[in-house]
Amino acid sequence: MSYLVLARKYRPRTFHEVRGQDHTVRALVNSLDHDRLHHAYLFSGTRGVGKTTLGRILANCLNCEQGVSSTPCGRCDCCNSFRDGNFIDLIEVDAASRTGVEDMRQLLENANLRPSMGRFRVYLIDEVHMLSASSFNALLKTLEEPPEHVKFILATTDPKKIPVTVLSRCLQFHLKNIPSETIQNQLSEILVNEDVAAEVEALDVIGRAADGSLRDALSITDQAISHGGGKLTLANVSEMLGTARTDEVAKVLDLILAGDRKGVIEFTQEMATQAVNYGDLINSLQRAIHAISMFKITEQMADQSLIRFGDKFSPEWLQVAYQILLIGMRDLRYAPDHRIGFEMTMLRLLDFEPVAAYPVSRPPDENVDSVADVSPQTVRESNQQSNSSQIQSENDQNPELPGTIDPHSNLKAEESPDPTEKSFQWFEIVENLTVPMEVKQAMYNSELVERSADGVVLRTATTDKDFWTQERLLELETALQQQVEKGISVTMVFGELQSETPAQRLNRIRNEQREQEKGIRDERKRRQQERIDAAKQELEKDAFVQALKKDFGAQVGEIRLH
């Protein structure tokens, strides 16, 4: 016997074999079991979700020799004919190839004749929206008042193109896209029956690539089995579909986190040699950004490889990144080629940071008559005091780090006439640092403990001790040397923060701005209300208004100021 493709071999033959369409199956089963049969059914939904399959199962249930039931016997002549695909009273029509009115008239000529074998003659019209207007008109009368032995089952992927007069004569069922988890479970069962070894990750990729269509998933699986020589692996499926693997998505995030522009370009070149689909890669990055954002809220992550990014990206950056990826996906069609579009999207992720990541250089304007600018203002000072760096840590497990000191020592800051001013100056230094995003965010949560001609001492939370590896400390040292003159040291200690950090200053000033704006809005509302009240009083005193009120019972209504 010749090979039968999986999509045909495992096509459901009964309602309990249908997956992902529980709401429709439940309604059909109840109508069959309670003998509440309609004469016309319309199934709509995307390709490969079960429209034609449900139509055939429904026709089988209507014509089983054991009686109308949601569970046909599977043994009678009618059921055997349905299984073999040659039931004479099931008339399947492809409306895409028979769109003319003459085709419809020929089809309906025998509608008044009794069925030859079964209980009902069933017309199953696929892609019914492709019929012409004349064909729909020819169908209307028979569809509205068909003979008692005729049932119509219509299937379409675009119900909006079907005339309302036809829709009103049918029971409508919209079939949903099948969830990828349901597709993966079904594929697992089928591959066990087929004795094909498959990796779970490979089934996950197929489930997402199928985009809600179980038939597409089975077709992809057939192709993947041939491509992989009888087994399904993540590498083979990803290569065949041109999709990005989870480790490749994690690699991109690592490169973005490190601010490695050269590494991103090299990664793009590597993907080009694998003929990866850049649109799919951007989609995978969107899924990863969404998963990380949800992890920050629920602390649950299906993909264990992304958990480590949960505390490395701020919520603000995740929002900016998701928006950049959405725009990048939209702009792929306008790029000279998809690789260029992907590279520019990655560079945007490296170059853009949310507004909240930058400091405010001055407190909000105290003029109550002016509206404060909601966006934080930044000042980039390049002529900062010269410093060179030496980094010290209390981490006993990293004795190789330069300049360790006791974090529990009573380290006092240099006397400063204004502690806020000291924080403000450190705020400007942090704002101008040219370091990877993760290092800069960590610096926003540090404080300046002491400054002198010989060096500066910085303090950060003890929980960040593992973050400050020797590599990151050297990155900070290099950045400080590039920003200021060389010659002074920088010492890093860990402990409880005792003064305002740049991040806290940013939040404080933003809160002050919000309070100021709220005060301005309240003041404007108060003044406007005073003007309205004054205007109303003037109207009440007006002789003409008083006469209107006296003679006609008029009332002063709404007053609008211009």
Side-chain angles (χ1 to χ4, degrees), residues 448-461:
L448 176 63
V449 178
E450 182 180 353
R451 57 185 177 184
S452 65
D454 297 329
V456 295
V457 178
L458 308 176
R459 181 188 290 118
T460 188

Side-chain angles (χ1 to χ4, degrees), residues 209-499:
D211 194 22
S213 171
L214 186 54
R215 183 179 65 211
D216 286 6
L218 291 171
S219 298
I220 295 172
T221 302
D222 252 329
Q223 182 181 355
I225 292 174
S226 301
H227 183 81
K231 60 181 180 180
L232 293 180
T233 63
L234 176 60
N236 287 335
V237 173
S238 298
E239 179 184 4
M240 181 190 75
L241 296 176
T243 57
R245 301 191 302 270
T246 304
D247 59 332
E248 293 170 340
V249 174
K251 183 178 180 180
V252 174
L253 294 177
D254 281 327
L255 292 172
I256 294 173
L257 198 59
D260 189 352
R261 287 171 170 75
K262 183 177 180 181
V264 168
I265 300 303
E266 292 175 350
F267 173 82
T268 306
Q269 294 174 348
E270 180 184 347
M271 292 295 98
T273 61
Q274 300 178 14
V276 72
N277 185 320
Y278 290 109
D280 182 79
L281 183 52
I282 292 179
N283 277 332
S284 298
L285 285 170
Q286 287 176 324
R287 293 177 185 274
I289 294 296
H290 170 264
I292 296 171
S293 299
M294 294 299 102
F295 176 73
K296 284 182 171 292
I297 301 173
T298 64
E299 297 185 354
Q300 297 179 358
M301 176 82 76
D303 190 344
Q304 300 298 314
S305 65
L306 297 178
I307 290 181
R308 60 190 177 92
F309 295 105
D311 57 352
K312 294 183 179 180
F313 292 115
S314 67
E316 294 83 2
W317 185 88
L318 291 172
Q319 292 296 324
V320 171
Y322 191 79
Q323 190 67 23
I324 289 174
L325 291 170
L326 283 177
I327 296 174
M329 188 68 183
R330 181 198 66 189
D331 291 348
L332 277 184
R333 67 171 70 181
Y334 304 113
D337 61 60
H338 283 192
R339 176 179 172 179
I340 292 176
F342 177 78
E343 287 177 342
M344 294 306 297
T345 301
M346 294 301 101
L347 292 179
R348 289 193 201 109
L349 288 176
L350 290 165
D351 292 336
F352 283 88
E353 295 183 30
V355 173
Y358 293 101
V360 179
S361 62
R362 66 175 188 273
D365 188 2
E366 306 219 357
N367 182 6
V368 74
D369 292 330
S370 64
V371 180
D373 186 3
V374 178
S375 300
Q377 303 297 322
T378 61
V379 175
R380 302 182 180 273
E381 300 289 338
S382 59
N383 51 346
Q384 301 291 335
Q385 180 181 1
S386 297
N387 292 324
S388 75
S389 46
Q390 176 190 7
I391 304 186
Q392 300 195 358
S393 170
E394 68 163 357
N395 192 342
D396 296 336
Q397 298 179 356
N398 293 304
E400 71 278 3
L401 295 181
T404 58
I405 69 172
D406 183 6
H408 301 291
S409 63
N410 187 18
L411 188 61
K412 296 189 180 285
E414 177 186 343
E415 292 296 330
S416 174
D418 187 356
T420 304
E421 180 64 22
K422 180 181 70 174
S423 173
F424 177 70
Q425 294 175 1
W426 174 237
F427 197 48
E428 292 180 341
I429 294 174
V430 172
E431 197 273 338
N432 287 313
L433 284 177
T434 305
V435 291
M437 182 179 59
E438 56 182 346
V439 177
K440 192 167 189 177
Q441 288 181 349
M443 295 306 296
Y444 273 119
N445 292 296
S446 66
E447 64 178 350
L448 176 63
V449 178
E450 182 180 353
R451 57 185 177 184
S452 65
D454 297 329
V456 295
V457 178
L458 308 176
R459 181 188 290 118
T460 188
T462 306
T463 54
D464 292 337
K465 184 170 58 177
D466 294 337
F467 172 82
W468 287 105
T469 62
Q470 185 174 11
E471 180 182 354
R472 290 194 175 103
L473 292 171
L474 292 176
E475 287 177 347
L476 176 60
E477 177 180 329
T478 302
L480 287 172
Q481 290 179 352
Q482 292 175 351
Q483 181 178 334
V484 300
E485 297 179 7
K486 301 179 180 179
I488 62 175
S489 64
V490 174
T491 301
M492 179 77 73
V493 297
F494 303 95
E496 183 178 354
L497 300 177
Q498 300 177 6
S499 63

Side-chain angles (χ1 to χ4, degrees), residues 45-302:
T46 188
R47 75 276 178 274
V49 295
K51 302 183 296 297
T52 306
T53 297
L54 282 175
R56 291 177 178 177
I57 295 174
L58 177 59
N60 189 3
C61 293
L62 292 172
N63 286 284
C64 178
E65 293 179 2
Q66 301 299 321
V68 176
S69 169
S70 62
T71 55
C73 68
R75 297 183 300 272
C76 64
D77 292 340
C78 289
C79 290
N80 290 333
S81 297
F82 271 103
R83 184 179 61 250
D84 298 335
N86 55 16
F87 185 68
I88 192 173
D89 290 320
L90 174 62
I91 303 171
E92 293 194 35
V93 181
D94 179 17
S97 59
R98 300 182 65 179
T99 61
V101 63
E102 291 301 325
D103 294 325
M104 181 57 63
R105 287 172 179 168
Q106 291 177 7
L107 181 68
L108 299 177
E109 277 182 357
N110 297 327
N112 291 321
L113 301 179
R114 300 292 303 180
S116 302
M117 182 177 182
R119 187 177 295 104
F120 296 98
R121 174 173 285 114
V122 181
Y123 291 89
L124 177 54
I125 306 177
D126 199 9
E127 297 299 336
V128 68
H129 67 273
M130 299 292 288
L131 291 177
S132 64
S134 300
S135 296
F136 277 121
N137 291 333
L139 176 64
L140 274 180
K141 185 60 178 178
T142 305
L143 186 64
E144 182 176 10
E145 298 177 357
E148 60 178 9
H149 58 269
V150 171
K151 301 292 182 183
F152 287 96
I153 301 176
L154 313 180
T156 179
T157 55
D158 194 354
K160 294 181 180 179
K161 292 183 178 180
I162 300 177
V164 178
T165 50
V166 174
L167 294 176
S168 64
R169 289 166 168 80
C170 303
L171 282 184
Q172 301 178 43
F173 297 95
H174 182 71
L175 276 61
K176 302 181 294 185
N177 284 8
I178 303 175
S180 59
E181 295 81 4
T182 303
I183 293 177
Q184 293 171 41
N185 294 335
Q186 182 71 357
L187 291 180
S188 298
E189 295 179 7
I190 291 174
L191 292 176
V192 169
N193 294 335
E194 293 292 312
D195 195 23
V196 174
E199 295 179 358
V200 176
E201 295 80 2
L203 298 182
D204 178 63
V205 172
I206 294 175
R208 286 189 281 111
D211 194 22
S213 171
L214 186 54
R215 183 179 65 211
D216 286 6
L218 291 171
S219 298
I220 295 172
T221 302
D222 252 329
Q223 182 181 355
I225 292 174
S226 301
H227 183 81
K231 60 181 180 180
L232 293 180
T233 63
L234 176 60
N236 287 335
V237 173
S238 298
E239 179 184 4
M240 181 190 75
L241 296 176
T243 57
R245 301 191 302 270
T246 304
D247 59 332
E248 293 170 340
V249 174
K251 183 178 180 180
V252 174
L253 294 177
D254 281 327
L255 292 172
I256 294 173
L257 198 59
D260 189 352
R261 287 171 170 75
K262 183 177 180 181
V264 168
I265 300 303
E266 292 175 350
F267 173 82
T268 306
Q269 294 174 348
E270 180 184 347
M271 292 295 98
T273 61
Q274 300 178 14
V276 72
N277 185 320
Y278 290 109
D280 182 79
L281 183 52
I282 292 179
N283 277 332
S284 298
L285 285 170
Q286 287 176 324
R287 293 177 185 274
I289 294 296
H290 170 264
I292 296 171
S293 299
M294 294 299 102
F295 176 73
K296 284 182 171 292
I297 301 173
T298 64
E299 297 185 354
Q300 297 179 358
M301 176 82 76

